[in-house]
């Protein structure tokens, strides 16, 4: 897995491999590594887990978190998804996830802009232009 990540890092700044129930390993081109275990929850359904993981990881990444924090947020989001049937989380589940994500990101990230998706998209475009290419690559090897 490390060799595959190093290959991908020739083309991206960050490469993360999700490992399902075993968590994830993220590497930055500069050699920084972040690892996080999965949530250790009872799996009901895996639909949406990968999407939630990727969303959580990339959200933390775009908010300026360390790779370790990104990995932890991704795993927390993915773990939340497997606790329910289907891919729809209840409002209470979303609120609980947001509180846990805020704790994991404490001290390193800025809050999500109040203007929502449009502001996040603009920030993504600015960061993408700043690094001149691909910011992150998410691979799944469950």
């Amino acid at each position: 897995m490390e060799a595959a990540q190093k290959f991908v890092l020739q083309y991206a700044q960050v490469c993360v491999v999700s490992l399902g129930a075993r968590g994830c390993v993220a590497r930055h081109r500069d050699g920084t590594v972040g690892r996080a275990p999965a949530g250790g929850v009872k799996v009901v359904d895996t639909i949406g887990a990968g999407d939630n993981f990727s969303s959580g990881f990339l959200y933390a990444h775009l908010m300026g978190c360390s790779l370790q924090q990104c990995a932890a947020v991704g795993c927390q989001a993915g773990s939340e998804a497997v606790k329910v049937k289907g891919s729809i989380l209840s409002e209470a589940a979303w609120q609980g996830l947001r509180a846990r994500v805020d704790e994991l990101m404490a001290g390193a990230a800025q809050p999500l802009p109040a203007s929502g998706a449009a502001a996040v998209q603009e920030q993504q475009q600015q960061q993408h232009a700043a690094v001149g290419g691909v910011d992150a690559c998410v691979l799944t090897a469950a």
Side-chain angles (χ1 to χ4, degrees):
M1 174 178 49
E2 184 176 345
Q5 284 183 306
K6 287 182 178 181
F7 175 79
V8 170
L9 290 172
Q10 295 175 76
Y11 307 99
Q13 297 290 318
V14 175
C15 179
V16 59
V17 177
S18 65
L19 302 168
R22 296 173 297 164
C24 73
V25 177
R27 291 184 197 283
H28 191 279
R29 186 180 283 175
D30 69 7
T32 306
V33 177
R35 291 182 173 85
V41 298
K42 181 180 183 240
V43 176
V44 174
D45 189 354
T46 60
I47 292 176
D51 293 336
N52 273 21
F53 171 84
S54 297
S55 297
F57 185 94
L58 292 172
Y59 171 72
H61 177 68
L62 291 171
M63 293 296 113
C65 290
S66 69
L67 270 189
Q68 185 62 44
Q69 288 173 303
C70 294
V73 169
C75 285
Q76 185 67 56
S79 293
E80 193 65 37
V82 302
K83 296 188 322 187
V84 298
K85 181 86 172 144
S87 61
I88 309 275
L89 298 181
S90 69
E91 183 61 30
W94 275 116
Q95 294 301 323
L97 176 58
R98 181 58 194 246
R100 288 186 296 281
V101 166
D102 286 347
E103 289 173 14
L104 292 167
M105 291 174 49
Q110 55 198 35
L112 182 64
S115 55
V120 171
Q121 184 177 18
E122 181 180 337
Q123 182 181 16
Q124 289 171 336
Q125 290 170 346
Q126 291 171 354
Q127 290 180 345
H128 184 73
V131 297
V134 177
D135 288 333
C137 175
V138 178
L139 305 174
T140 301

